[in-house]
Amino acid sequence: MPLYHAAIQDMQFVLHDVLGVANQDIAGYGDLDESFTAAVLEEAGKVARDVLAPLNASGDREGCHLENGVVRTPAGFKAAFEAVKQGGWTSLDCDPDYGGQGLPYLIGTAVGEMFISANMALNMYQGLTHGAYSAIHAHGTAAQKATYLPKMVSCAWTGTMNLTEAHCGTDLGQMRTRALPQADGSYRITGTKIFISAGEHDLAENIIHLVLAKAPGGGEGTKGISLFIVPKFLVNSDGSLGARNGVSVGKIERKMGIHANATCVMNYDGATGYLLGDLHKGMRAMFTMMNEARIGVGLQGYAIAQAAYQASLAYARERLQGRDVMGAQNPSGPADPLIVHPDIRRNLMEQKSFVEGARALTFWGAMLIDRAARSGDAQAEGLISLLTPVIKGFQTDKGFEMAVQAQQIWGGHGYIEDNGVAQFVRDGRIAQIYEGANGIQALDLVGRKLAADGGKPIMALFDMVKTFLKENEGDARMAPFLGPLKAASKDVQTGAMYFMEQGAKNPNSALAGANDFMHLLGHAVLGLMWARMARAAYASLDAGRGDAAFLHGKITTGQFFMARCLPATALHLARIQTGAEPVMALPAGAF
Amino acid sequence: MPLYHAAIQDMQFVLHDVLGVANQDIAGYGDLDESFTAAVLEEAGKVARDVLAPLNASGDREGCHLENGVVRTPAGFKAAFEAVKQGGWTSLDCDPDYGGQGLPYLIGTAVGEMFISANMALNMYQGLTHGAYSAIHAHGTAAQKATYLPKMVSCAWTGTMNLTEAHCGTDLGQMRTRALPQADGSYRITGTKIFISAGEHDLAENIIHLVLAKAPGGGEGTKGISLFIVPKFLVNSDGSLGARNGVSVGKIERKMGIHANATCVMNYDGATGYLLGDLHKGMRAMFTMMNEARIGVGLQGYAIAQAAYQASLAYARERLQGRDVMGAQNPSGPADPLIVHPDIRRNLMEQKSFVEGARALTFWGAMLIDRAARSGDAQAEGLISLLTPVIKGFQTDKGFEMAVQAQQIWGGHGYIEDNGVAQFVRDGRIAQIYEGANGIQALDLVGRKLAADGGKPIMALFDMVKTFLKENEGDARMAPFLGPLKAASKDVQTGAMYFMEQGAKNPNSALAGANDFMHLLGHAVLGLMWARMARAAYASLDAGRGDAAFLHGKITTGQFFMARCLPATALHLARIQTGAEPVMALPAGAF
């Protein structure tokens, strides 16, 4: 079974050498010195390795079971989740007014990576609770916050998000779940929601469902939608649990992966719900949760790839098969380890350079979220808004692809479930689908984010690249980074320009190229991350700081990414520039 | 649950309009007129749709079970396999001397596509038998052929291939299974083989295992390996079944997919085996089986994609979600079908253009096999030898990618096992791994096939492209095909040249680019297929022959492939040209 070890050295490198977190002018960041983050990350790494990872395969095998309306999670999950709660790992970046530790979102992100790599299904119970916490924190009344947040910060109560119905996922305007206002100000919620992760389970005393439903008077489509808090058990005025609410689990789904997280059909049968935020403004409130969830899913994308990479690296070192064509590396053994072979090395380098690039991008994104939230920085807000669909869509597509590559290194043994790598492929697949399928992420990027605020965020990104190129042009060692970065950035600009020119005449041109643009921009920002990492590594080497072998490895891995992976931008641009015609020419009936 | 309908119109188009099979100077091809092939394909399509496809999902869910040394296949499999046998579908291209129908391999390939799309796991029992039949047919003594072939042609007895051991898959030189010669000329086989598909089951009276083992005196490595026939039940001189042989199933594997095919650990405990072919020349004999198996796996690659495509197309037409940005297409309904959206259309076009291109390539490959076998044509032999790793490696990589895309169209519903598309992803995954993992295919291509026979096969392919370009340069309608084909062919040549120049100095340069070269060549030959299909479609349109809507659709789909997919050759070339340095620079210990 694959072992998991948290990539603490790399996380520390990103936090301190690349992002320089302790010197950022963001409230709370002053505390993030190297020893503090090392202490947090090391403790979290132990929980991931010793508490969560050992249950990953067994949880997958056993799955969740629904019996008489109760969902039983796999053996060991309850104790492990208790350990997570007791360790304070659910409250890291939550508001101290409600029992949180007030740490930056960035720290929660780093810890989240570890917990996901170790056990994605178990981490989802906590992740969804955090999303619901954020929605209530942003939109709830003082009374609602006081009632729910302390319990959710500790995960004594967990949370869910209820959007999808059988006939509508993306197109929520078709929603049928209804909310009828009651004399006491509450609502009666009736309808059926599907794909509700952690909708029912045995890990918490209460479950706080956030439910989208249509209340009278809001009009057609998404305009009539409001968001409601629907607790599994009603909460008495003293905070104790009251009567069971009219919400129940109808069935749990048989899925390709994340077997240990119960995906539920939830039946709301006149359940008592409380309006969260403004009436008929439910979509906006839900997006507080959704944007956070999308970053969390992008985190899953590379965290799963990280776990799969470790499993494939261990196998590549241990499995003896064939000989190095340049001369035996293990002459006394029956064969050389797989890692001597160039095609295996190519595979591993693609995985490694993706995971480390994505980690840097996600951590940077988390820092932008902190900067926006804690310093009210509008530029940071705009930038993370632009990057969110890239982090979600690009990272989960690539993360899945990399998990498949990791499985490939295991050969036939990778197809056998007992060896554990197949699970990474099956689990990672969902991240491309939920919280807005990746096609929707691409449309969000091209249709909204690119032109948002007059295009300021994307222009800021171009300026960042330009400044970086200028600042580093004197350093010959940086040449392998600057040229490819410049080319990739130009490809992004050309693609964006193409959409602007075509968009007015033919919106389908942008839509037909949306997926390619998401991948084009994803590659380019990973290129920027690698260029920054290389500069940081050279700076540390020049100053005689840090672990030289690690820093040289960083530079070498970056050179691989720039040479071998970044040229994909040209292909994506070429595809974009073919426009809508090739895509739309075949009549729908002729497929 | 996805329905399956055989793509008979497209198969007929490839057979007659593109390949002109009835006019080929190959023994037996004269009978292949349109009405004959239509009759065969229609009958086979009914078996696929009515007998095999209905058991695909249930077989996956139920899986195989090992009880007291006996493997039970899923409910319905026995009756379905009987129907396949009774219908004569196992004997299509087998030698009439042993009860076969003597039809071309090409016909078996077309029928094979249907049976795989409908039920890959069930078809494997038959496919492996065919491989073992071919090995005995090519290397067996007259007595061996008389004993085994008639029963294997009818699948009364099925076959297996036993190569892999727990510690060695690719590197068979490490093999530990031993064969001890006996006084009567037989051998005693002792050892344990793993990953033996259809190693034990309840679908046949006897199972004929072909087993690689080391007999004394052959020396080290693969040189000492011989191939043996090891029947589950020994066969009496009158052809009746005798004593149980010393071979038994140790366990069956829990796998990611193909649950309905039993993947067995086989224990040989002094089992009686009969030498097949020459002593210590077992690898050569096994490759008869292996080359056929690789084409069969390449067939699986796109056949699974075909089934997944159909499932995703049906869903894209039926699922109502969102509105066409150019104006509602289903104004009286709550929303438009998914297929109106450009990103869905892009996804479907990628699937469709891959599947149809791969079908043309595979059918052409099958015709080359017939030409080599029936006409002793050395050029055809060289060309199919070159194309085999492309058909196996490229088609299974892309086929899997396309199955993943098909699943994506289903959104969250695609992740739910009950809807059937997830199975295509799980089943299709194995095709990238078995019969030589795709990394091995790439090495075979670059390390052996490219330079084979002084490079004549690849030069023949370049000439074919050149001739095609010349023949069609006067037809302006062909311009969208000729330019991209020329560019792709040039990319292949540049890549091959790079390997030749670098290879002598640094073999790792070729090895590091092997995977990209396989994909580069794969794209280019699919481009050639599409150019041929477009020309054939124009020819039929000009002559007023055939279904005009179908032919126009063909051209449009080809234009999509040339514009959107073929430019990937430039990326693969760019990656190849970075050489070994970026791939090998990081020390193995620094990963």
Side-chain angles (χ1 to χ4, degrees):
Chain A
M1 205 53 59
L3 292 173
Y4 170 69
H5 294 286
I8 293 173
Q9 188 174 23
D10 196 53
M11 290 188 181
Q12 286 282 82
F13 172 76
V14 174
L15 291 175
H16 301 289
D17 295 37
V18 182
L19 299 178
V21 290
N23 303 317
Q24 293 291 330
D25 180 27
I26 304 172
Y29 270 54
D31 299 336
L32 302 183
D33 61 34
E34 291 199 32
S35 63
F36 176 79
T37 60
V40 173
L41 297 178
E42 269 156 31
E43 275 311 304
K46 281 183 204 156
V47 174
R49 186 191 63 204
D50 300 337
V51 177
L52 303 178
L55 298 175
N56 196 37
S58 59
D60 175 65
R61 205 158 41 237
E62 187 182 336
C64 291
H65 294 277
L66 173 61
E67 282 159 17
N68 304 319
V70 176
V71 170
R72 197 164 36 75
T73 56
F77 268 49
K78 200 160 181 168
F81 199 50
E82 276 310 310
V84 169
K85 294 181 200 180
Q86 294 304 322
W89 299 108
T90 65
S91 66
L92 290 174
D93 61 346
C94 295
D95 187 341
D97 287 352
Y98 305 101
Q101 299 176 53
L103 287 166
Y105 179 76
L106 174 57
I107 296 302
T109 300
V111 172
E113 181 200 308
M114 298 181 190
F115 286 14
I116 295 163
S117 291
N119 196 323
M120 175 168 154
L122 179 48
N123 183 256
M124 286 174 65
Y125 295 97
Q126 165 180 2
L128 286 155
T129 306
H130 195 284
Y133 154 87
S134 296
I136 296 174
H137 192 266
H139 301 284
T141 62
Q144 286 173 336
K145 293 190 203 183
T147 302
Y148 299 106
L149 295 188
K151 293 289 193 178
M152 296 176 78
V153 164
S154 66
C155 276
W157 301 353
T158 63
T160 71
M161 53 197 297
N162 291 241
L163 290 77
T164 308
E165 300 181 5
H167 63 290
C168 70
T170 301
D171 186 2
L172 291 171
Q174 297 185 55
M175 188 172 289
R176 291 182 193 143
T177 298
R178 290 284 178 272
L180 281 184
Q182 304 298 303
D184 66 355
S186 73
Y187 288 78
R188 289 207 168 272
I189 313 289
T190 301
T192 299
K193 296 286 184 178
I194 66 167
F195 298 162
I196 308 310
S197 298
E200 179 59 48
H201 57 79
D202 56 3
L203 301 179
E205 300 155 16
N206 201 4
I207 301 176
I208 310 305
H209 303 289
L210 297 197
V211 183
L212 286 182
K214 285 190 172 177
E220 286 300 300
T222 55
K223 291 195 197 82
I225 293 175
S226 305
L227 184 58
F228 299 90
I229 300 173
V230 184
K232 174 180 169 184
F233 290 100
L234 296 172
V235 182
N236 298 321
S237 52
D238 65 353
S240 63
L241 296 186
R244 187 74 157 74
N245 203 351
V247 47
S248 59
V249 53
K251 76 169 203 181
I252 61 176
E253 307 284 359
R254 206 171 61 89
K255 307 186 300 292
M256 182 176 173
I258 49 166
H259 294 159
N261 196 283
T263 304
C264 302
V265 173
M266 298 303 296
N267 295 318
Y268 294 87
D269 189 13
T272 299
Y274 309 101
L275 182 67
L276 177 61
D278 294 335
L279 188 66
H280 304 141
K281 297 274 166 63
M283 291 299 286
R284 230 179 61 195
M286 186 50 97
F287 263 96
T288 302
M289 197 162 166
M290 184 67 102
N291 279 330
E292 175 180 322
R294 287 177 174 178
I295 299 287
V297 173
L299 183 61
Q300 290 179 335
Y302 85 81
I304 284 288
Q306 161 73 21
Y309 167 67
Q310 287 191 352
S312 70
L313 176 60
Y315 193 74
R317 284 188 165 138
E318 159 196 313
R319 175 82 171 173
L320 304 179
Q321 211 77 181
R323 288 291 182 193
D324 188 335
V325 289
M326 309 298 279
Q329 299 293 313
N330 176 35
S332 60
D336 289 341
L338 285 179
I339 199 169
V340 306
H341 301 298
D343 188 59
I344 298 288
R345 201 68 81 93
R346 168 199 62 80
N347 183 329
L348 289 171
M349 289 299 290
E350 286 175 5
Q351 293 183 61
K352 179 176 165 67
S353 65
F354 163 71
V355 167
E356 294 178 9
R359 175 179 294 127
L361 175 59
T362 307
F363 281 21
W364 180 43
M367 190 168 90
L368 290 171
I369 289 173
D370 283 325
R371 185 178 291 287
R374 292 171 176 239
S375 309
D377 183 322
Q379 194 188 356
E381 174 84 43
L383 208 45
I384 186 59
S385 178
L386 173 73
L387 291 174
T388 296
V390 176
I391 289 174
K392 197 285 183 184
F394 170 72
Q395 287 189 181
T396 59
D397 278 357
K398 272 283 158 192
F400 175 75
E401 198 185 318
M402 293 301 109
V404 171
Q405 285 193 194
Q407 184 186 28
Q408 191 71 15
I409 287 182
W410 279 70
H413 298 276
Y415 200 66
I416 307 300
E417 289 289 359
D418 305 293
N419 292 322
V421 278
Q423 186 188 349
F424 297 130
V425 173
R426 292 186 290 95
D427 285 357
R429 182 69 184 93
I430 190 59
Q432 299 173 278
I433 298 172
Y434 61 17
E435 310 308 345
N438 286 355
I440 297 299
Q441 304 302 322
L443 298 188
D444 178 46
L445 175 62
V446 162
R448 294 174 30 197
K449 301 298 177 65
L450 202 52
D453 197 14
K456 267 188 209 156
I458 188 85
M459 296 306 295
L461 198 61
F462 295 145
D463 282 345
M464 222 171 263
V465 171
K466 220 167 135 182
T467 306
F468 185 90
L469 293 173
K470 203 165 192 90
E471 281 171 6
N472 291 278
E473 64 189 2
D475 186 345
R477 301 173 303 180
M478 287 297 289
F481 293 89
L482 302 187
L485 177 60
K486 191 173 174 179
S489 176
K490 188 157 174 254
D491 288 342
V492 177
Q493 291 183 50
T494 309
M497 195 71 76
Y498 179 83
F499 290 153
M500 284 208 290
E501 286 165 9
Q502 297 286 317
K505 287 176 277 177
N506 182 5
N508 276 350
S509 287
L511 299 176
N515 181 65
D516 280 291
F517 189 80
M518 181 173 78
H519 282 265
L520 166 50
L521 185 53
H523 277 91
V525 291
L526 246 54
L528 176 60
M529 291 301 114
W530 271 113
R532 283 188 181 169
M533 288 195 278
R535 182 178 62 182
Y538 280 123
S540 292
L541 284 168
D542 292 346
R545 272 197 319 260
D547 172 349
F550 170 83
L551 295 168
H552 282 296
K554 213 65 206 170
I555 292 163
T556 306
T557 305
Q559 286 168 341
F560 173 89
F561 184 86
M562 303 310 277
R564 280 253 173 177
C565 303
L566 198 52
T569 59
L571 173 60
H572 290 298
L573 177 61
R575 288 166 53 96
I576 288 167
Q577 288 175 323
T578 64
E581 171 63 18
V583 172
M584 302 304 290
L586 192 70
F591 274 80
Chain B
M1 207 53 57
L3 292 172
Y4 170 69
H5 295 286
I8 294 173
Q9 187 174 25
D10 196 52
M11 289 188 180
Q12 286 283 82
F13 172 76
V14 174
L15 291 175
H16 302 289
D17 297 36
V18 181
L19 298 179
V21 289
N23 303 317
Q24 293 291 329
D25 181 26
I26 306 172
Y29 270 55
D31 298 336
L32 303 183
D33 61 32
E34 291 199 33
S35 63
F36 176 79
T37 59
V40 173
L41 297 179
E42 269 156 32
E43 275 313 303
K46 281 181 204 156
V47 174
R49 185 191 64 204
D50 301 336
V51 177
L52 304 179
L55 299 175
N56 196 38
S58 60
D60 174 65
R61 204 158 42 237
E62 187 180 336
C64 292
H65 295 277
L66 173 62
E67 281 159 17
N68 304 320
V70 175
V71 170
R72 197 164 36 74
T73 56
F77 269 47
K78 200 160 183 170
F81 199 50
E82 276 312 310
V84 169
K85 294 181 199 180
Q86 293 305 322
W89 298 108
T90 65
S91 66
L92 289 173
D93 62 346
C94 295
D95 188 342
D97 287 352
Y98 304 102
Q101 299 176 53
L103 287 166
Y105 180 76
L106 174 58
I107 298 300
T109 300
V111 172
E113 181 200 307
M114 296 180 190
F115 286 13
I116 295 163
S117 291
N119 196 322
M120 175 169 155
L122 179 46
N123 183 256
M124 285 175 66
Y125 295 97
Q126 167 180 0
L128 286 156
T129 306
H130 195 285
Y133 155 87
S134 297
I136 296 174
H137 192 267
H139 302 284
T141 63
Q144 287 174 334
K145 292 189 202 184
T147 302
Y148 299 106
L149 294 188
K151 293 289 194 180
M152 295 175 78
V153 163
S154 66
C155 276
W157 302 352
T158 61
T160 70
M161 53 197 296
N162 291 241
L163 290 77
T164 307
E165 300 181 6
H167 63 291
C168 69
T170 302
D171 187 1
L172 290 171
Q174 297 185 55
M175 188 172 289
R176 291 182 192 143
T177 298
R178 289 284 178 270
L180 281 184
Q182 304 299 302
D184 65 355
S186 71
Y187 289 76
R188 290 209 168 271
I189 313 291
T190 301
T192 298
K193 296 286 185 178
I194 66 166
F195 299 163
I196 309 309
S197 298
E200 179 58 47
H201 57 79
D202 55 4
L203 300 179
E205 300 154 16
N206 201 3
I207 301 175
I208 310 305
H209 303 288
L210 297 196
V211 183
L212 286 182
K214 285 190 170 174
E220 286 301 299
T222 56
K223 290 196 197 81
I225 293 176
S226 305
L227 184 59
F228 298 90
I229 300 174
V230 184
K232 174 179 169 184
F233 289 101
L234 296 172
V235 182
N236 298 322
S237 53
D238 65 353
S240 63
L241 296 187
R244 188 74 155 75
N245 203 351
V247 46
S248 60
V249 52
K251 76 169 204 178
I252 60 176
E253 306 285 0
R254 206 170 62 89
K255 307 186 301 292
M256 183 175 171
I258 50 164
H259 294 160
N261 196 282
T263 303
C264 302
V265 173
M266 299 302 296
N267 295 317
Y268 294 87
D269 188 13
T272 299
Y274 309 102
L275 182 67
L276 177 60
D278 295 334
L279 189 65
H280 304 142
K281 297 274 167 62
M283 291 299 286
R284 231 180 63 194
M286 186 50 97
F287 263 97
T288 302
M289 197 165 167
M290 185 66 102
N291 279 330
E292 175 179 322
R294 286 177 174 178
I295 299 287
V297 174
L299 183 61
Q300 291 178 335
Y302 85 81
I304 284 289
Q306 162 73 21
Y309 167 67
Q310 287 191 352
S312 70
L313 176 60
Y315 193 73
R317 283 187 165 138
E318 160 197 312
R319 174 83 172 174
L320 304 179
Q321 212 78 181
R323 289 289 182 194
D324 187 336
V325 288
M326 310 297 281
Q329 299 293 315
N330 177 33
S332 60
D336 289 341
L338 285 179
I339 199 170
V340 306
H341 301 298
D343 188 60
I344 298 288
R345 200 68 80 93
R346 168 199 63 80
N347 183 328
L348 289 171
M349 289 300 290
E350 286 175 4
Q351 293 183 60
K352 179 177 165 67
S353 65
F354 163 70
V355 167
E356 294 179 9
R359 175 179 294 127
L361 175 59
T362 307
F363 281 21
W364 180 44
M367 190 167 91
L368 290 171
I369 288 173
D370 282 325
R371 185 178 290 287
R374 292 171 175 238
S375 310
D377 183 322
Q379 194 187 356
E381 174 84 43
L383 208 45
I384 187 58
S385 178
L386 173 73
L387 291 174
T388 295
V390 176
I391 289 173
K392 197 283 184 184
F394 169 72
Q395 287 189 180
T396 59
D397 277 357
K398 271 283 157 189
F400 174 74
E401 198 185 318
M402 291 302 109
V404 170
Q405 286 193 192
Q407 184 187 29
Q408 192 71 17
I409 287 182
W410 280 70
H413 297 276
Y415 200 66
I416 307 301
E417 289 288 0
D418 305 294
N419 292 321
V421 278
Q423 186 188 348
F424 297 129
V425 173
R426 291 186 291 95
D427 285 357
R429 182 70 184 91
I430 190 60
Q432 300 172 278
I433 298 172
Y434 61 16
E435 310 307 346
N438 285 355
I440 297 300
Q441 303 302 321
L443 297 188
D444 178 46
L445 175 63
V446 162
R448 293 175 31 196
K449 301 298 177 65
L450 202 52
D453 197 13
K456 268 189 206 153
I458 188 86
M459 296 305 296
L461 197 61
F462 293 146
D463 282 346
M464 222 170 262
V465 171
K466 222 166 132 180
T467 306
F468 184 90
L469 294 172
K470 204 164 190 91
E471 280 172 5
N472 291 279
E473 64 189 3
D475 187 345
R477 300 173 303 180
M478 287 295 290
F481 293 89
L482 303 187
L485 176 60
K486 192 174 175 180
S489 177
K490 189 157 173 256
D491 287 342
V492 176
Q493 292 181 51
T494 309
M497 195 72 76
Y498 179 82
F499 290 153
M500 285 208 287
E501 287 166 6
Q502 297 285 318
K505 286 176 279 177
N506 182 5
N508 276 349
S509 286
L511 299 176
N515 181 65
D516 280 290
F517 190 80
M518 181 173 79
H519 281 266
L520 166 50
L521 185 54
H523 277 91
V525 291
L526 246 53
L528 175 60
M529 292 301 115
W530 270 113
R532 283 188 180 170
M533 288 196 277
R535 183 178 61 182
Y538 279 124
S540 292
L541 284 168
D542 291 348
R545 273 196 320 262
D547 173 348
F550 170 82
L551 296 168
H552 281 297
K554 211 69 205 168
I555 293 163
T556 307
T557 306
Q559 286 168 341
F560 174 87
F561 184 86
M562 303 310 276
R564 280 255 174 176
C565 303
L566 198 52
T569 59
L571 173 60
H572 290 299
L573 177 61
R575 289 166 52 98
I576 287 167
Q577 289 175 322
T578 63
E581 170 64 17
V583 172
M584 303 303 291
L586 193 69
F591 274 80

